[in-house]
């Protein structure tokens, strides 16, 4: 028998790419103290929303209402991927790029993390987590971004690990499993660094799991605490669940990053829908703490107060979306645009309702009066009987984020005006099997969208830029009095923050479903926006299910002379 | 009307129709339709297995490799075929690539993090479309501390 030719040893695929392999040690000095003061270094985007207050506002003002018409692409990063990956038909590029001293850290679908030169777009290093093809994904193969601190990049994986990478070379430092893929748990949230911990939430409410938040030590990955969002019998809030197993499958996942007030030492995390989404008959009661904001003590994971936006949700109105922290007349408040179509302002010291008003035109599911009293009107009540309501399960606004400008004192929100038909179909619970309790068809015509500006001091709409499809990308506000928002049809837009006038537009070739960020290097301001249309399109815009996925990240800047 | 095949006789039927060979009923062979094999665990906790590409079949053998749990896998890869292929395997950190000249032997060290199944393939030419695509199945559960605090639930 002849000897085999020696094929050697398999090598990392990244070594067959043009990447540099190494990034400067910019994250070494990113401390909790620096993240606390993130607004004082506007050249960087240090944490998911830019700052702990969730405003998605940057004071950078080189690009302004006068010169924005000259904005042009500076570079484009393209990823793509070889071979099959999980959720091939539903992957999407949804992350918010983090930038530290000129180096960008961003995550993609299917376990990708990249370090990119923020000036040139060159790939510096790449990490790729191996994701099981058969992971339960209700809403696509997506990841919303990384957190950075103390020399490390933190990211969650679709199979519910939280990992820490060395920020200079992308090598794994620690890897901890915090969710059960066999139970239908997964993870897509951008982690939040608070003090010496990294805090993450779980996904999987659509599979009847029990939602939780977890904190891990930055240095070691040691588990510090877990906070369940559905109480078990005997715990506070358990009286809002019926006797029996409903609480064990209650949902309430925190799959969008929370905000943090260091003075009050409280984090504000939104919680997802109860499970099953639409069949309330088997979970009578308010179903705490689903569809709520929970104010969580970061030191021990205890819930200090809560406010429930949708008691006994029958419409899949997760309330996971951002809670923007702002001050008004010396009062510490938070603003939240809920999927149910209402704009809430709460006192963030105690959860007291300050005001509530609608932010989308068509709301038929029910009504919330100025005192916060919720009156359901249309919901899937009878087995097999179809009902139609607005907003549909994607909500008046999906997970993508609103912004707040301290200069204009306005909130800017991407609005989805789309309804759905829902028929209750009771089903038996089985672990890892989708647990919705209904058949759902989202409207694919007669829909609209807008970027709308709201005054949180009175709940009034100040301006609206109308679109004929829902707006499904996060909004960014800047010190140049600009508001940026991408369209599902690929346009990236800049609006005048005071009037809503469209000042600039660039066709990127793919729908926007991510969170643009801004940064500057050597005095040149850039706007970074990941492009990738996908994920739960059937839920928020089925009329565009046939649009291309895309996998590029654009950086824009003013031309250099 | 023709009877539908049950899972049990599917293999026989696929074989009879020539869907598991090159250039019979189809141009290539159906995806991941090949043998199944198990990885073995060594005393040090590392798992090891061999996979091969037999001559003129364009299939990984086994096409389905079963691991008892997540962890480190040392893979020995043989290309017994009279054509050049390659392999791209999933692994935590980075996918692992190896070039496989005619009649060659190589190795790969993979780390896979838990239950589920993962694809691997030969991403050159249309090797994947012709049949050189396989699955690594990881059995077992996630670590106890990662599981939900709730009573055992019914599974399908
Ligand atoms: Cu939901």
């Amino acid at each position: 028998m002849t000897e085999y030719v020696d094929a050697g040893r398999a090598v990392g695929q990244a070594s067959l790419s043009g990447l540099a392999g190494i990034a400067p040690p910019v994250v070494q000095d990113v401390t909790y103290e620096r993240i606390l003061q993130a607004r004082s270094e506007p050249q960087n985007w240090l944490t998911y929303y830019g700052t702990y207050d969730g405003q998605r506002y940057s004071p950078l003002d080189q690009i302004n209402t006068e010169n924005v018409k000259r904005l042009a692409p500076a570079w484009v990063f393209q990823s793509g991927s070889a071979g099959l990956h999980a959720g091939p038909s539903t992957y999407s590029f949804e992350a918010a790029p983090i930038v530290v001293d000129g180096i960008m850290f961003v995550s993609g679908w299917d376990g990708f993390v990249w370090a990119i030169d923020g000036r040139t777009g060159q790939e510096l290093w790449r990490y790729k987590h191996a994701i099981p093809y058969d992971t339960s994904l209700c809403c696509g193969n997506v990841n919303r971004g990384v957190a950075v601190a103390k020399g490390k990049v933190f990211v969650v994986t679709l199979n519910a690990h939280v990992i820490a990478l060395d920020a200079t070379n992308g090598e794994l430092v620690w890897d901890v499993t915090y969710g059960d893929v066999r139970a239908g748990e997964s993870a897509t949230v951008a982690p939040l660094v608070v003090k010496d911990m990294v805090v993450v939430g779980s996904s999987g409410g659509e599979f009847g799991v029990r939602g939780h938040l977890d904190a891990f030590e930055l240095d070691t990955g040691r588990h510090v605490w877990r906070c369940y969002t559905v109480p078990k019998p005997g715990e506070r809030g358990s009286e809002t669940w019926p006797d029996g197993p409903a609480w064990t499958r209650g949902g309430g996942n925190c799959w969008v990053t929370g905000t943090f007030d260091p003075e009050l030492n409280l984090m504000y995390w939104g919680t997802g829908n109860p499970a099953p989404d639409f069949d309330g008959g088997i979970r009578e009661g308010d179903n705490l703490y689903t569809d709520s904001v929970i104010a969580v003590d970061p030191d021990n994971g205890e819930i200090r107060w809560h406010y429930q936006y949708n008691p006994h949700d029958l419409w899949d109105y997760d309330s996971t979306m951002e809670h923007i922290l702002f001050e008004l007349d010396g009062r510490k408040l938070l603003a939240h645009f809920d999927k149910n179509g209402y704009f809430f302002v709460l006192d963030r010291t105690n959860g007291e309702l300050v005001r509530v008003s609608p932010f989308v035109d068509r709301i038929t599911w029910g009504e919330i009066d100025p005192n916060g009293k919720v009156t359901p009107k249309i919901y899937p009540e009878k087995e097999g009987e179809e009902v139609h309501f607005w907003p549909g399960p994607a909500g008046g606004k999906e997970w993508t984020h609103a912004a707040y400008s301290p200069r204009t004192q306005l909130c800017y929100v991407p609005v989805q005006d789309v309804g759905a038909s829902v028929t209750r179909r009771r089903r038996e619970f089985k672990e890892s099997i989708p647990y919705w309790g209904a058949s759902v068809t989202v409207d694919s015509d007669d829909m609209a969208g807008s970027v709308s500006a709201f005054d949180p001091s009175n709940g009034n709409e100040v301006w609206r830029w109308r679109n004929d499809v829902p707006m499904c990308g996060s909004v960014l506000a800047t010190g140049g009095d600009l508001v940026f928002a991408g369209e599902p049809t690929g346009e990236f837009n800049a609006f005048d923050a005071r009037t809503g006038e469209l000042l600039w537009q660039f066709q990127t070739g793919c729908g926007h479903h991510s969170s643009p960020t801004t940064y500057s290097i050597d005095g040149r301001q850039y706007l970074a926006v990941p492009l990738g249309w996908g994920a739960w399109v059937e839920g928020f815009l089925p009329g565009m299910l046939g649009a291309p996925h895309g996998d590029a990240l654009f950086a824009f800047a003013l031309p250099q002379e | 009307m023709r009877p539908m095949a049950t899972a049990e006789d599917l293999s026989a039927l696929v074989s009879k129709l020539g869907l598991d060979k090159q250039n019979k009923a189809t141009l290539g062979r159906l995806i991941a339709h090949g043998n199944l094999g198990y990885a073995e665990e060594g005393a040090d906790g590392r798992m090891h297995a061999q996979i091969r590409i037999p001559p003129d079949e364009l299939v990984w053998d086994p096409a389905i490799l079963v691991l008892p749990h997540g962890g480190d896998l040392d893979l020995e890869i043989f290309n017994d075929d009279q054509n050049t292929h390659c392999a791209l395997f999933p692994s935590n950190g980075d996918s692992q690539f190896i070039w496989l000249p005619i009649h060659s032997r190589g190795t790969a060290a993979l780390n896979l993090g838990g239950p589920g199944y993962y694809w691997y393939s030969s991403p050159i030419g249309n090797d994947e479309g012709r049949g050189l695509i396989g699955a690594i199945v990881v059995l077992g559960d996630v670590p106890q501390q990662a599981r939900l605090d709730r009573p055992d639930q019914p599974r399908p």
Side-chain angles (χ1 to χ4, degrees), chain A residues 206 273 277 316 318 339:
Chain A
E206 269 52 46
N273 61 270
D277 301 48
D316 190 11
D318 311 66
K339 279 171 87 175

Side-chain angles (χ1 to χ4, degrees), chain A residues 540-557:
Chain A
F540 56 84
L541 217 178
M544 286 196 61
L545 262 167
H549 275 290
D551 54 24
L553 191 155
F554 274 68
F556 295 92

Side-chain angles (χ1 to χ4, degrees), chain A residues 138-139 205-206 255 272-274 277-278 291 313 315-321 339 393 536:
Chain A
C138 98
C139 311
E206 269 52 46
W255 51 273
N273 61 270
D277 301 48
F278 302 99
D291 284 2
D313 178 12
W315 308 269
D316 190 11
Y317 287 156
D318 311 66
S319 300
T320 48
M321 297 60 188
K339 279 171 87 175
W536 189 46

Side-chain angles (χ1 to χ4, degrees), chain A residues 4 11 14 133 210 248 431, chain B residues 80 94 97 105 117 149-150 154:
Chain A
Y4 280 97
V11 299
Y133 189 75
R210 192 178 168 215
T248 66
E431 200 169 29
Chain B
D80 292 321
D94 197 4
F97 180 88
R105 174 201 168 274
Y117 73 92
D149 178 14
R150 63 177 181 182

Side-chain angles (χ1 to χ4, degrees), chain B residues 10-132:
Chain B
L10 179 66
S11 272
L13 196 54
V14 164
S15 186
K16 184 171 158 218
L17 291 174
L19 296 170
D20 61 349
K21 296 180 183 65
Q22 293 294 308
N23 213 9
K24 297 289 179 184
T26 55
L27 301 178
R29 60 159 64 231
L30 292 189
I31 283 173
H33 197 87
N35 291 331
L36 181 148
Y38 295 89
E40 276 169 20
E41 192 168 353
D44 58 354
R46 292 183 75 86
M47 294 168 281
H48 51 95
Q50 286 187 348
I51 56 173
R52 330 184 70 92
I53 306 173
D56 289 343
E57 289 198 40
L58 280 190
V59 66
W60 294 105
D61 186 17
I64 302 168
L65 176 63
V66 180
L67 273 51
H69 52 76
D72 289 308
L73 170 70
D74 291 317
L75 203 54
E76 208 178 351
I77 311 125
F78 295 90
N79 179 10
D80 292 321
D81 197 15
Q82 298 299 308
N83 283 297
T84 300
H85 302 290
C86 66
L88 183 66
F89 299 107
S91 182
N92 288 320
D94 197 4
S95 303
Q96 295 293 305
F97 180 88
I98 187 167
W99 197 248
L100 295 167
I102 293 171
H103 203 69
S104 65
R105 174 201 168 274
T107 60
L110 312 183
N111 180 273
L112 297 172
Y117 73 92
Y118 304 77
W119 288 106
Y120 63 97
S121 69
S122 167
I124 55 169
N126 187 20
D127 276 6
E128 289 151 320
R130 300 272 292 181
L132 270 174

